[in-house]
Amino acid sequence: MQALKAFGNGKIQLIEEPTPTLSAGEVLIKPLAVGICGTDLDIVDSKIDPAFVNYPITLGHEWCGVVIESSADVTSIAIGDRVVAQGIIPCTTCRECTTGNTNRCEIYDEYGFTRAGAGSSAIVAEERLVHKILPSVSNESAALVEPAAVVMTGLFKANPKSGVKVLIIGDGTIGLITATFVRSWSPGQIDLVGLRKEQAQLVKLAGVDNFLQASNINNEKYDLVIEASGSKSGAEMALKKIARGGKLLFLGFIGYEASIPFIVDDIVNGDFSIYGSFGYTSIAWTKTVSLLNSGELDLTFIVTHRFALTDWQSGFDALVNGPAPRGKILLLP
């Protein structure tokens, strides 16, 4: 089968390798759509904390697929079912897992980082982590369960109050999903800061009230600021935009060992609450799938580019250099 592997230090290659065999309690899934993102670029370029990646690694942590083989004795998942699989693999027994914080499992393990991802002809997943997707859900929406669960986990932590003013920094996939979700908390205002004015239609579809350009940002302060750009400039802006007593949620990685300056007394005097949010919990994953299957959530509009897996170079080029409007980019194995 084909597998898109990252070897670190900028090396990436589509290779042929044997189709994996199943152990007890596993299913074999043929990927239908695989999202690529800035984190994949960081994996390729060795910019991720090395404690979180095992090289060489088959990329693909955002995806959906169809079950083609199963070794599970008792299962609610059947061959032919269209599915997604929770990527962060909880041990279920450590202190974090037993308190519901499965994103902080003491034994870190994740598809596309430490285990082979879905950028391939087939992926093995533990059946206990597999969720069925109903026919009414598009492949595009299903492939976005992973980033959507990331956003939901962060928002559960920040817990916005009704009527608050929200600023989202970043007009990419995470920013667009964040705006879509924040609306359900009934905020008084949602503004979004981006770099590309051509993103305006996507931003509007996400439910944003005001689309601001980073080059012409106002002096307004916000009750909740969400950094979703994964950039140093975005993180620096976020610290400046919090109203006194406000909250700041960091969703984006700005780079392994990268840092920004801040004044501790400003944090104290401002009475700020600052949250970091890693990955997603099993609760957030299950809730996201439920919202998709119920029809309450549809993220199809975020996908703007599709490429065959064999044309992965064009997909990565679009991710880096493609003109806006640009949302999620999918590879189709």
Side-chain angles (χ1 to χ4, degrees):
M1 72 172 195
Q2 294 181 316
L4 186 61
K5 285 196 178 289
F7 296 84
N9 299 315
K11 185 180 179 182
I12 178 174
Q13 189 175 358
L14 186 64
I15 68 169
E16 292 286 339
E17 64 179 19
T19 300
T21 56
L22 299 182
S23 298
E26 294 181 333
V27 294
L28 188 66
I29 302 169
K30 174 181 171 58
L32 298 173
V34 183
I36 55 174
C37 67
T39 300
D40 291 303
L41 291 176
D42 288 342
I43 292 172
V44 171
D45 293 332
S46 300
K47 293 182 179 179
I48 296 286
D49 185 335
F52 292 88
V53 183
N54 290 337
Y55 292 104
I57 186 68
T58 300
L59 297 174
H61 59 279
E62 306 174 7
W63 59 279
C64 72
V66 59
V67 176
I68 57 176
E69 186 180 342
S70 176
S71 67
D73 293 330
V74 179
T75 178
S76 59
I77 302 298
I79 292 174
D81 282 345
R82 201 162 49 107
V83 298
V84 292
Q86 182 180 321
I88 296 176
I89 303 165
C91 73
T92 74
T93 59
C94 73
R95 179 177 63 90
E96 298 289 5
C97 285
T98 55
T99 55
N101 301 305
T102 55
N103 59 320
R104 300 200 301 261
C105 178
E106 293 173 4
I107 305 172
Y108 171 72
D109 202 1
E110 184 173 5
Y111 297 111
F113 292 83
T114 60
R115 294 195 194 186
S120 60
S121 305
I123 177 174
V124 171
E126 295 185 25
E127 189 274 337
R128 67 186 175 99
L129 304 174
V130 175
H131 296 248
K132 186 175 179 179
I133 295 294
L134 296 182
S136 57
V137 180
S138 70
N139 286 343
E140 289 84 354
S141 268
L144 287 169
V145 168
E146 196 273 351
V150 167
V151 171
M152 184 173 289
T153 298
L155 289 176
F156 280 160
K157 188 176 292 188
N159 192 25
K161 293 182 180 179
S162 176
V164 298
K165 288 171 53 180
V166 179
L167 178 67
I168 300 164
I169 299 174
D171 59 13
T173 297
I174 294 294
L176 295 170
I177 293 174
T178 300
T180 302
F181 275 163
V182 165
R183 182 60 66 188
S184 66
W185 268 265
S186 301
Q189 177 180 327
I190 302 176
D191 291 354
L192 187 146
V193 178
L195 296 174
R196 304 162 292 181
K197 62 182 180 180
E198 294 83 4
Q199 293 288 90
Q201 184 59 30
L202 288 174
V203 170
K204 182 179 179 180
L205 290 172
V208 171
D209 295 308
N210 300 295
F211 182 31
L212 311 173
Q213 296 301 295
S215 59
N216 190 29
I217 191 65
N218 58 37
N219 294 318
E220 198 167 356
K221 302 286 187 178
Y222 294 84
D223 304 304
L224 172 62
V225 179
I226 303 170
E227 205 303 296
S229 72
S231 67
K232 288 186 67 172
S233 60
E236 289 168 348
M237 180 189 297
L239 286 166
K240 298 175 182 177
K241 301 300 290 183
I242 322 171
R244 199 152 190 253
K247 299 177 180 180
L248 170 57
L249 171 63
F250 283 104
L251 291 178
F253 289 102
I254 68 171
Y256 177 52
E257 295 186 332
S259 62
I260 60 171
F262 68 91
I263 300 171
V264 174
D265 283 6
D266 287 349
I267 306 297
V268 176
N269 290 331
D271 197 23
F272 302 146
S273 298
I274 300 179
Y275 302 91
S277 186
F278 174 78
Y280 44 84
T281 63
S282 296
I283 293 171
W285 184 277
T286 301
K287 177 64 174 177
T288 302
V289 173
S290 176
L291 288 172
L292 288 177
N293 282 338
S294 69
E296 296 174 69
L297 178 66
D298 185 357
L299 300 173
T300 306
F301 77 95
I302 293 176
V303 176
T304 56
H305 294 69
R306 300 162 183 83
F307 299 91
L309 180 63
T310 52
D311 194 21
W312 61 268
Q313 295 99 328
S314 296
F316 275 84
D317 182 66
L319 182 62
V320 176
N321 302 310
R326 185 176 77 243
K328 175 52 60 181
I329 294 169
L330 295 181
L331 299 180
L332 310 177

